């Protein structure tokens, strides 16, 4: 009976807080979803053995922070990934407890590594591999679309095009006609 409890604790992870308080103030554990428990066990089996490490580009791809591993490597090379406050290369080793900051798709994700995995897993299992400390995304109303023309308005004039480019430059995207540009492509 004791080995079943140990197996149950191993599949749930050390830091999970999915307990419910029963009668008399005792804490009772909620039964895990069998599919998620099986996926967690598979992820742990595929994870690194004791003493092995995981590359940062592989880890951010495995926990579904980026869509592809090559996007993760590109983000690292571009300086968009920081581990414990330092910019890192794609081959940097990540450890449990590291804080990973990732700027991706216009927002910053701040996560703390809870479990090391190498292979991409399902979203419920991936969410158990990190603690998300990211600020909430900006509301959709706050982001005003720049340069949307009415349907049927025809081709934009030179004046319209310049106004669109000026609006895009104010939005932070830069581009032709933005600050510091010569006006040539």
């Amino acid at each position: 009976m004791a080995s079943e409890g140990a197996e149950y604790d191993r599949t749930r992870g050390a830091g999970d807080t999915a307990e419910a308080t029963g009668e008399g103030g005792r804490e009772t554990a909620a039964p895990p979803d069998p599919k998620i428990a099986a996926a967690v066990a598979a992820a742990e089996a595929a994870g690194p053995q004791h003493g092995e490490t995981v590359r940062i580009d592989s880890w951010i791809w495995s926990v579904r922070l980026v869509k592809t591993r090559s996007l993760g490597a590109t983000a690292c090379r571009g300086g968009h990934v920081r581990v414990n406050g330092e910019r890192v290369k794609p081959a940097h080793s990540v450890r449990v407890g590291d804080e990973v900051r990732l700027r991706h798709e216009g927002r910053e994700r701040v996560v703390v590594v809870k479990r090391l995995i190498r292979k991409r897993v399902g979203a419920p299992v991936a969410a158990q591999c990190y603690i998300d400390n990211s600020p909430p995304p900006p509301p959709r109303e706050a982001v005003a679309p720049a340069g949307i023309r009415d349907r049927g308005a025809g081709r934009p004039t030179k004046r319209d095009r310049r106004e669109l480019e000026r609006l895009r430059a104010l939005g932070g995207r830069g581009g032709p006609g933005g600050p510091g540009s010569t006006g040539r492509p």
Side-chain angles (χ1 to χ4, degrees), residues 37-112:
V40 167
E44 285 183 355
Q49 301 303 320
H50 184 70
E52 293 183 28
T53 59
V54 178
R55 291 170 54 114
I56 185 67
D57 61 341
S58 177
W59 187 82
I60 62 177
W61 166 74
S62 298
V63 297
R64 297 177 170 263
L65 295 177
V66 293
K67 285 187 178 182
T68 64
R69 184 172 170 184
S70 62
L71 275 178
T74 304
C76 290
R77 277 190 235 108
H80 300 290
V81 178
R82 292 177 179 262
V83 176
N84 297 328
E86 296 181 16
R87 289 182 179 179
V88 293
K89 294 182 178 180
H92 181 81
S93 297
V94 66
R95 287 175 284 224
V96 174
D98 285 348
E99 180 189 59
V100 178
R101 290 179 174 266
L102 169 73
R103 276 192 332 226
H104 184 62
E105 294 179 353
R107 77 179 274 220
E108 184 174 27
R109 300 288 307 265
V110 180
V111 297
V112 177

Side-chain angles (χ1 to χ4, degrees), residues 111-126:
V111 297
V112 177
V113 179
K114 197 163 112 177
R115 180 182 298 150
L116 296 177
I117 58 172
R118 260 197 196 146
K119 297 192 176 187
R120 195 165 170 99
V121 292
V125 179

